[in-house]
Amino acid sequence: MRKFISGNLNYSSWSIRPLLAVRKAGLGIEEEILPLDFPETTARLKEISPTAKVPLLIWDDLMIWESLAITEFVAELAGPGVIWPKDTARRAIARAVSSEMHAGFAAIRSACSMDIRGRTPAPEMTPALEADIARLQAMWSTLRETYGGNTQEPGPFLFGAWSAADAFYMPVVTRFRTFGLPLTGAAADYAAAVLEDPDFRRLEAEAAAEPWWIKYGPEGRSAGLLKPAG
């Protein structure tokens, strides 16, 4: 069995980062969604995942349960230039900024939960949130200006052609759109390119079609099923 198991595509940023890498790798991996916070799917995750969390990649007898590890695994199988930039320097920086996303930006994660299909008023602009936005604005602009013009790997993304770095920042781009957060210049151009990418458009349509909702309240997170239209 070769299967990638994710949470809701609309909400699970941890899932869709490696999912984009899995799809770009073109390895014929089956996909399955386990909607978060339902008793039956929570029980199934406890049965199949060492951490009882998503994402999870099952590759024959091997289980890989962490997003960066899944991304690196499929990158090795896909070959040079498919998941990470071919150029050594660009590849190193792409890994560095992906790790920064993986471990940081707590304020924007907390204040602006991912909801691809949602549109929500901007939260209170705390110093921590403002600092995260400023770092993302500066990072995206600098990477596009410094590395995006690579003529050997052309494209509109952080390192020219698409790379795993764009998979790791795609959920953040959607947060800027969902909450109407400010971006200017090269950073705004980059965000627009991500939202126009055919692979994102496919994911966006899948997220819009999902029948589940997740809400956050004083008592924590809750989930349920959307009512059928009409």
Side-chain angles (χ1 to χ4, degrees):
M1 178 190 297
R2 296 178 177 180
K3 179 183 286 189
F4 179 82
I5 298 174
S6 72
N8 319 42
L9 301 185
N10 190 60
Y11 301 107
S12 181
S13 59
W14 292 106
S15 295
I16 62 176
R17 294 182 184 110
L19 174 60
L20 288 171
V22 164
R23 290 180 174 181
K24 291 283 189 178
L27 300 173
I29 297 172
E30 183 184 351
E31 298 175 18
E32 180 180 357
I33 296 173
L34 291 181
L36 303 176
D37 298 329
F38 288 89
E40 60 273 20
T41 51
T42 300
R44 177 139 188 262
L45 275 172
K46 289 179 179 178
E47 292 175 358
I48 63 175
S49 170
T51 61
K53 296 178 180 179
V54 290
L56 175 69
L57 176 63
I58 302 172
W59 185 272
D60 299 333
D61 295 329
L62 180 65
M63 285 192 179
I64 309 169
W65 61 87
E66 195 278 332
S67 56
L68 268 175
I70 293 170
T71 300
E72 292 289 7
F73 181 78
V74 299
E76 290 182 11
L77 295 173
V82 178
I83 304 300
W84 296 109
K86 292 179 181 178
D87 177 77
T88 301
R90 285 175 169 79
R91 189 163 62 250
I93 301 302
R95 283 190 166 115
V97 297
S98 297
S99 295
E100 183 178 351
M101 177 69 254
H102 191 261
F105 298 103
I108 197 168
R109 290 179 193 269
S110 176
C112 305
S113 300
M114 195 181 79
D115 182 353
I116 293 176
R117 64 192 178 211
R119 299 295 182 271
T120 304
E124 177 187 356
M125 192 58 64
T126 65
L129 179 57
E130 190 172 36
D132 275 1
I133 292 172
R135 170 59 183 153
L136 290 161
Q137 167 75 44
M139 177 200 296
W140 292 347
S141 295
T142 299
L143 292 176
R144 283 290 300 124
E145 292 165 358
T146 305
Y147 298 105
N150 182 3
T151 56
Q152 294 181 341
E153 298 180 69
F157 300 107
L158 293 178
F159 296 88
W162 183 92
S163 76
D166 303 297
F168 273 76
Y169 281 98
M170 186 273 281
V172 188
V173 169
T174 71
R175 285 170 160 96
F176 274 84
R177 182 179 69 172
T178 296
F179 291 89
L181 301 176
L183 282 174
T184 60
D189 293 341
Y190 167 66
V194 169
L195 296 176
E196 292 166 3
D197 181 56
D199 290 310
F200 171 74
R201 293 285 196 180
R202 172 189 170 187
L203 185 70
E204 182 181 38
E206 292 168 334
E210 288 183 334
W212 313 290
W213 57 259
I214 291 176
K215 294 181 180 178
Y216 296 83
E219 298 181 357
R221 194 166 72 181
S222 59
L225 283 167
L226 296 170
K227 294 181 180 179

